[in-house]
Structures are given as structure tokens and as C-alpha cells.
Amino acid sequence: MTVRISKPSFNLRDKISQLESRVPFERMPIGSVMLIGRRFTSNRTNISSNHTWTTISDCDITVFPRLQSSLLEIEMVFSMEAQNATSGIGFRIWRSRSSDALGTNANKIYDYHQHSHWGTGNWTGPGQIVLKVYDKPYNMTGIHDADYGATDVSNRGHGIFYYAQAYKETGNNLYVNYGQDSEGTIVTVKEIRQ
């Protein structure tokens, strides 16, 4: 009895083209990092009231992660200038769904207080502030990854919204991006495959 085995044709050019194309994020090795959001703003925020949390203008971002198992790295960088001896400053980062109103159903994921004092002159530090936090947001209702029944990532339910607040204990005005530099406030979110 004769057995014939047929093998599908093999096109070397197609295989090379497949290898040179983009690797889907879900097939990347664990630890792979992908930038999923970056925002720059020139807006200025004045924290004028003592012991009152003030939302930093446009220090926020909405992102749509690719995988539910991912870890997100959120980084916010901005300059601060204090007028007349500001002391004790604090920062918070909040997470909510992009569809929720500001402050509604928000989860505080970062809370930092610095009790230093800045000068007695007209203008002084604290200088550049860098806030960095890691977050796994998928315990929120309505947050889904890219595979949740939609191929277009901008159309797959709620995004994740991050925003920052600051406060001061005493002193005069405390400004975020006082000079209104075009990239005076930078918010970056990276997705790290787990």
C-alpha cells in the first residue's frame, strides 16, 4: 500500500515578512513595556488655600490598556514655585473610570506628604516634582482590556482616568508650572506585561 503525504507549500518570503512585522503585545515576553499615553500641558495651577486639596490643571490622562493582567506605570512630572515660605506640601494621584465625573468613584493610589520648608524670600523651591506609581486597575467595574469584544481600542468601554492633586500647609501661593512652559507638566503611562 502506498501512502502519499502532501505538505503545504512553504513561501520563504512570506515567513520573513511575518517575522519583520509587529509582534502583538499579548505575544511579547513578560516584562515588555508599551507606552499607552502621554500628555503635555502649559497650564498653570495656583494652590492658594492652606490645607485644601487642589486638582492640578490638566495633570490628568485617560488610557486604554491592552491586557487585563498588565501593570501600569504612571509618572507625573511638573515644576513648582512657592511664594513666601510655603511649608509642608502633599500630593495625591487618583484613579477612576473615564466616564465618571471628577472625584466620583475615585480610588486614591498615591499619597505623599513632604514637610520641608521653602525660604523666606519672594520665590523659591520646591522645584521639579516627579510622582511615580504602579497600578493594577482591573478591580474596577466596567474596565476591560482590548480583547473585550472590540477590535478598536478606543471603543471598548470605559478607559482609566488618572489625575493629581496637591496641597500646602502654610504660606502664600504655590504654583504648578508658574512660567506656563509648553511642556511644564508631563503625564506618561506605560503598560508593563505581566
PDB file of all heavy atoms in Angstrom, residues 28 45 116 124 177:
ATOM      1  N   MET A  28       4.213  39.399  23.377  1.00  0.00           N
ATOM      2  CA  MET A  28       5.508  39.900  23.825  1.00  0.00           C
ATOM      3  C   MET A  28       5.901  39.210  25.127  1.00  0.00           C
ATOM      4  O   MET A  28       5.033  38.762  25.889  1.00  0.00           O
ATOM      5  CB  MET A  28       5.451  41.415  24.053  1.00  0.00           C
ATOM      6  CG  MET A  28       5.337  42.211  22.801  1.00  0.00           C
ATOM      7  SD  MET A  28       5.211  43.957  23.219  1.00  0.00           S
ATOM      8  CE  MET A  28       5.733  44.690  21.701  1.00  0.00           C
ATOM      9  N   THR A  45      -1.365  76.055  37.663  1.00  0.00           N
ATOM     10  CA  THR A  45      -2.306  75.870  38.770  1.00  0.00           C
ATOM     11  C   THR A  45      -1.756  76.591  39.985  1.00  0.00           C
ATOM     12  O   THR A  45      -0.573  76.452  40.313  1.00  0.00           O
ATOM     13  CB  THR A  45      -2.476  74.378  39.114  1.00  0.00           C
ATOM     14  OG1 THR A  45      -2.941  73.685  37.961  1.00  0.00           O
ATOM     15  CG2 THR A  45      -3.477  74.182  40.248  1.00  0.00           C
ATOM     16  N   SER A 116       8.959  69.738  54.382  1.00  0.00           N
ATOM     17  CA  SER A 116      10.069  70.684  54.320  1.00  0.00           C
ATOM     18  C   SER A 116       9.530  72.105  54.254  1.00  0.00           C
ATOM     19  O   SER A 116       8.341  72.334  54.068  1.00  0.00           O
ATOM     20  CB  SER A 116      10.934  70.393  53.096  1.00  0.00           C
ATOM     21  OG  SER A 116      11.442  69.082  53.168  1.00  0.00           O
ATOM     22  N   THR A 124      10.845  80.725  45.679  1.00  0.00           N
ATOM     23  CA  THR A 124      11.804  79.674  45.995  1.00  0.00           C
ATOM     24  C   THR A 124      11.226  78.327  45.604  1.00  0.00           C
ATOM     25  O   THR A 124      10.129  78.258  45.062  1.00  0.00           O
ATOM     26  CB  THR A 124      12.179  79.733  47.492  1.00  0.00           C
ATOM     27  OG1 THR A 124      13.196  78.774  47.748  1.00  0.00           O
ATOM     28  CG2 THR A 124      10.984  79.476  48.382  1.00  0.00           C
ATOM     29  N   ASN A 177       3.856  74.834  37.474  1.00  0.00           N
ATOM     30  CA  ASN A 177       4.189  75.382  36.157  1.00  0.00           C
ATOM     31  C   ASN A 177       3.909  76.881  36.081  1.00  0.00           C
ATOM     32  O   ASN A 177       3.198  77.353  35.190  1.00  0.00           O
ATOM     33  CB  ASN A 177       3.447  74.629  35.047  1.00  0.00           C
ATOM     34  CG  ASN A 177       4.026  74.931  33.672  1.00  0.00           C
ATOM     35  OD1 ASN A 177       5.179  75.312  33.534  1.00  0.00           O
ATOM     36  ND2 ASN A 177       3.204  74.764  32.647  1.00  0.00           N
TER      37      ASN A 177
END
